[in-house]
Amino acid sequence: MQVKSFKTKAKKLVKEKALRSREITPDFPSRINVEPTNRCNLRCAMCPRQDLTRPVGEIDLELFDKLAQEISRHAPAEVRLHKDGEPLKNPQIFELIDRIKTVAPSTLLNMDTNALLLDEEKAEKILDSKLDILLFSVNAATAQTYKKVRGSTRFDQVIANIERFLAMRKERGYVWPRVKVQLIVMADTKDEIGLFKEQWGPHEVDVLLIPAINWGGHRPDVQSLMRLPERRYPCTFLWNSFSINWDGKVSFCNVDFDHLGIIGDVNQQTIEEIWKSPEFERYRGLHKAGRWGEIGLCRDCNYWAYTRNVWYLVGKGWK
């Protein structure tokens, strides 16, 4: 019995160490959000956009080229062309896709879209591109709920746009880009989980059910229904994820929708310099000491629970 117990614990420790090595990336972020634009054509109930005060605009192509070159030297990495806003609102979005996949072809390139602007021409351009993953943020299974959570009456158009894209992909015989269809689970959508799965199950897509976040405590009214772990631990996003706003300002966390946690600027610094900077390390240190309450965006946040717990509690701190 003791030998079996020892072997089980040993296997678990090996697994945890392997997981930790994937989640903690000290030299360069493994996941990079680059914001094509923070313009948006929706006003969603679960989004903090109503409190947005930072400027609205699109990323500069020269700056994007600089980022692509640096990312290429650290490839492979996962790059997500999204942060706040709708990527298809950037008229140069397809040039961004082409530029980074040309310079850094091994990059796993993601893009999120609400599909409202996905006409046939844009669908063709996506299929002609080297985009790896396309996520459709639908977030409702009925027009009534869509209007409630998205503030729009164009649910049928969104569904038609997605179905046309899938049909075009199938006609070409493509399996890429890999398509994901998302429902954010909260009080307003929880009763449509079954219907959402039923709607998209027959299609060649991954169906994602994502608990709502409270945007660093800025949307406490959003009932995510996510059960938080009993003990809070450091948010691992601080050790693997990097968030670049369209103007080059870097946020220490992706939930920073309004320049509330700026730690650098890639117009003057490299990604690596900011990643290893004293300012970023200060935030990490506060989390490892269990002092997230001293950080405005972290104090009431639930985003940390999305990350895996790869930490060991030693005394009053985490290792």
Side-chain angles (χ1 to χ4, degrees):
M1 183 69 72
Q2 288 181 342
V3 173
K4 185 177 180 180
S5 176
F6 176 78
K7 287 183 177 180
T8 301
K9 288 180 179 179
K11 287 181 179 179
K12 182 180 179 183
L13 182 60
V14 170
K15 184 177 180 181
E16 286 177 347
K17 285 185 175 179
L19 178 61
R20 184 180 177 85
S21 67
R22 293 198 301 269
E23 294 297 313
I24 307 298
T25 55
D27 295 327
F28 199 76
S30 57
R31 303 165 193 149
I32 303 172
N33 282 76
V34 181
E35 183 177 69
T37 181
N38 62 340
R39 300 186 191 278
C40 195
N41 49 358
L42 288 174
R43 293 295 181 270
C44 301
M46 59 284 194
C47 179
R49 193 172 188 85
Q50 60 193 22
D51 300 324
L52 185 71
T53 63
R54 71 178 170 110
V56 174
E58 291 83 32
I59 194 167
D60 178 76
L61 285 178
E62 288 188 13
L63 174 60
F64 188 82
D65 284 341
K66 173 193 171 186
L67 298 173
Q69 288 288 346
E70 184 178 3
I71 291 169
S72 73
R73 296 193 292 272
H74 296 271
E78 180 180 351
V79 174
R80 186 180 177 197
L81 290 177
H82 180 262
K83 185 177 175 288
D84 307 310
E86 165 54 46
L88 293 180
K89 291 285 285 183
N90 184 328
Q92 297 175 311
I93 186 63
F94 299 107
E95 190 165 357
L96 298 181
I97 294 172
D98 180 65
R99 288 188 180 205
I100 194 166
K101 289 298 282 188
T102 298
V103 173
S106 63
T107 297
L108 180 65
L109 190 61
N110 292 250
M111 185 175 77
D112 296 11
T113 177
N114 58 39
L116 271 171
L117 299 176
L118 188 67
D119 55 24
E120 187 170 352
E121 180 183 1
K122 289 185 178 66
E124 288 279 3
K125 288 183 177 180
I126 290 175
L127 289 169
D128 288 338
S129 76
K130 295 180 180 179
L131 186 70
D132 295 297
I133 300 174
L134 180 61
L135 186 148
F136 291 120
S137 186
V138 181
N139 299 328
T142 64
Q144 180 181 5
T145 298
Y146 189 82
K147 182 178 181 181
K148 187 173 184 179
V149 302
R150 298 294 243 172
S152 171
T153 58
R154 297 162 69 185
F155 176 74
D156 291 340
Q157 179 184 337
V158 168
I159 302 305
N161 287 350
I162 297 173
E163 290 182 339
R164 178 178 58 216
F165 178 85
L166 293 173
M168 292 169 65
R169 187 183 65 162
K170 184 175 182 180
E171 184 178 348
R172 290 190 180 202
Y174 288 1
V175 294
W176 302 103
R178 180 178 175 183
V179 174
K180 300 180 180 183
V181 182
Q182 171 184 283
L183 176 73
I184 293 179
V185 179
M186 52 187 177
D188 292 329
T189 63
K190 65 180 179 66
D191 293 334
E192 294 192 353
I193 292 175
L195 181 58
F196 191 81
K197 289 180 177 179
E198 183 180 322
Q199 287 175 341
W200 296 106
H203 295 82
E204 293 182 11
V205 302
D206 296 330
V207 178
L208 303 183
L209 304 175
I210 308 296
I213 62 173
N214 64 14
W215 291 92
H218 280 82
R219 290 311 311 270
D221 53 314
V222 177
Q223 300 179 39
S224 72
L225 310 180
M226 178 171 57
R227 182 176 296 178
L228 300 180
E230 292 183 6
R231 181 192 292 272
R232 184 165 177 172
Y233 46 83
C235 181
T236 314
F237 282 129
L238 290 167
W239 281 266
N240 58 36
S241 299
F242 198 80
S243 298
I244 305 170
N245 299 291
W246 70 264
D247 56 1
K249 299 290 178 58
V250 175
S251 298
F252 76 84
C253 180
N254 195 44
V255 302
D256 179 19
F257 65 96
D258 203 33
H259 283 179
L260 301 172
I262 299 301
I263 56 170
D265 187 338
V266 289
N267 288 290
Q268 283 84 43
Q269 302 163 276
T270 65
I271 295 173
E272 186 175 11
E273 285 172 345
I274 299 171
W275 185 245
K276 297 178 179 179
S277 68
E279 185 64 9
F280 216 149
E281 284 299 315
R282 185 177 74 85
Y283 283 105
R284 294 180 182 125
L286 287 171
H287 268 251
K288 288 174 72 174
R291 293 164 55 191
W292 37 73
E294 298 177 25
I295 308 171
L297 275 172
C298 302
R299 185 181 304 114
D300 301 313
C301 187
N302 64 356
Y303 202 33
W304 62 272
Y306 277 59
T307 71
R308 293 185 177 95
N309 183 8
V310 296
W311 303 99
Y312 302 93
L313 187 61
V314 180
K316 295 183 179 180
W318 298 84
K319 299 289 185 182

